[in-house]
Amino acid sequence: MAEAVSTFYNGETIEMPEIRVSHIIKGRIPEAIYKPANQLLESDKTIYYERKMFCIKIPTIYETIEGNKLTLTVAGVRAYNHMNLYSKKSVERFKIFVGFKNLVSCNLCVSSDGFVEQLEISNTSDLYLRVLEMLNRYNPAKQLHLMQTLGKTSMTEHQFCQILGKMRLYQALPQKIRHNIPRLHITDTQINAVAKAYISDENFGSYGSDIDMWKFYNLLTGANKSSYIDSFLDRSYNATEVAQGITAALHGDDRYSWFID
């Protein structure tokens, strides 16, 4: 993936990948599946990490929105918890994205044309080509424009509280009702985090006054940092959907109107 980024953004400054892992799993090689644990040799044992996320920053491509510097970033997630490692070898699965990282808060901003939710490949050459396809499809100017427009719309504290309340209701709705409402991936715990940040966050809090949608968007992406890395990108993208959808609803669009009615 880093090779594809270097090829596509040739001439730009590209930092070394940052890597985070979680959940050490002590396993065994396939040939030792049926051995009793007390008979395992050191050569039979394996150690791997259940989830891994890697992030590559390109600091020479950046923009400033509402006083916040955003830097272009390419990232991906590899999660083994979605696979049966002891079954027959199958395709490798990744989630990848290209978008901007808010340096004030380290929030990742994920857009639709820069996100591949389910990338299935069988070798590194396929991965290289698919990453290049994503980078070629991505339109950074379009994403920046959409994020800049968020700062031009505000909502009152009453509307903000109503939206949070509807978000809490969403998880309890019957499936037949939820089916007609745009999806919401943020959890109840993260909704609580958004409420606390609205009061106390020094960058995006707006307690006692109106809040613009750029700050609201960053409250959502900030709360998302508590997600496991295998669901992090999905929820980051969903935060973009929700922020832009509610912005449109405040201007009269019907699709996200349930959250503000």
Side-chain angles (χ1 to χ4, degrees), residues 71-75 97-101 108-111 114 138 143:
T71 299
L72 190 66
T73 301
V74 183
F97 102 101
V98 54
F100 286 87
K101 183 177 183 179
L108 287 179
C109 308
V110 180
S111 70
Y138 174 64
Q143 185 184 7

Side-chain angles (χ1 to χ4, degrees), residues 187-249:
T187 66
D188 284 349
T189 299
Q190 291 168 340
I191 293 170
N192 291 340
V194 170
K196 291 179 181 178
Y198 172 73
I199 295 173
S200 59
D201 189 289
E202 62 180 17
N203 297 304
F204 307 115
S206 300
Y207 180 59
S209 61
D210 293 353
I211 179 172
D212 67 52
M213 296 306 295
W214 170 249
K215 290 184 177 180
F216 176 71
Y217 176 44
N218 277 276
L219 293 183
L220 294 180
T221 54
N224 181 48
K225 287 187 286 191
S226 65
S227 297
Y228 276 129
I229 53 180
D230 56 328
S231 59
F232 180 84
L233 291 180
D234 308 71
R235 288 177 179 164
S236 289
Y237 171 47
N238 184 237
T240 301
E241 291 181 310
V242 171
Q244 292 176 348
I246 292 177
T247 299

Side-chain angles (χ1 to χ4, degrees), residues 5 37 50 57 62 67 72 80 111 126 135 144 146 157 165 169 172 179 182 184-185 193 224 236 254:
V5 173
E50 190 172 272
K57 288 190 290 187
Y62 64 91
L72 190 66
Y80 284 125
S111 70
D126 286 347
L135 296 176
L144 287 169
L146 289 173
E157 186 172 73
L169 286 176
H179 179 74
L184 178 70
H185 289 336
N224 181 48
S236 289
D254 291 335

Side-chain angles (χ1 to χ4, degrees), residues 69-178:
K69 184 176 181 180
L70 279 71
T71 299
L72 190 66
T73 301
V74 183
V77 168
R78 181 78 166 90
Y80 284 125
N81 60 305
H82 298 303
M83 299 177 63
N84 181 357
L85 297 179
Y86 298 114
S87 66
K88 185 178 179 180
K89 177 70 174 177
S90 61
V91 295
E92 303 289 337
R93 295 181 175 88
F94 291 81
K95 295 179 182 181
I96 57 174
F97 102 101
V98 54
F100 286 87
K101 183 177 183 179
N102 190 339
L103 298 189
V104 170
S105 55
C106 297
N107 294 348
L108 287 179
C109 308
V110 180
S111 70
S112 58
D113 62 349
F115 177 45
V116 180
E117 185 174 4
Q118 189 69 274
L119 172 61
E120 297 183 346
I121 53 97
S122 56
N123 54 62
T124 54
S125 296
D126 286 347
L127 178 61
Y128 177 84
L129 291 174
R130 294 294 297 277
V131 172
L132 284 180
E133 287 175 4
M134 178 190 69
L135 296 176
N136 187 60
R137 183 174 65 247
Y138 174 64
N139 186 340
K142 177 182 177 182
Q143 185 184 7
L144 287 169
H145 172 73
L146 289 173
M147 291 191 294
Q148 286 169 335
T149 60
L150 293 176
K152 299 177 182 178
T153 299
S154 297
M155 57 181 164
T156 66
E157 186 172 73
H158 177 78
Q159 288 174 316
F160 173 79
C161 293
Q162 180 165 329
I163 289 170
L164 288 193
K166 285 295 189 74
M167 286 180 169
R168 291 294 299 271
L169 286 176
Y170 178 88
Q171 303 299 340
L173 291 174
Q175 185 60 39
K176 63 180 180 180
I177 296 178
R178 198 190 308 180

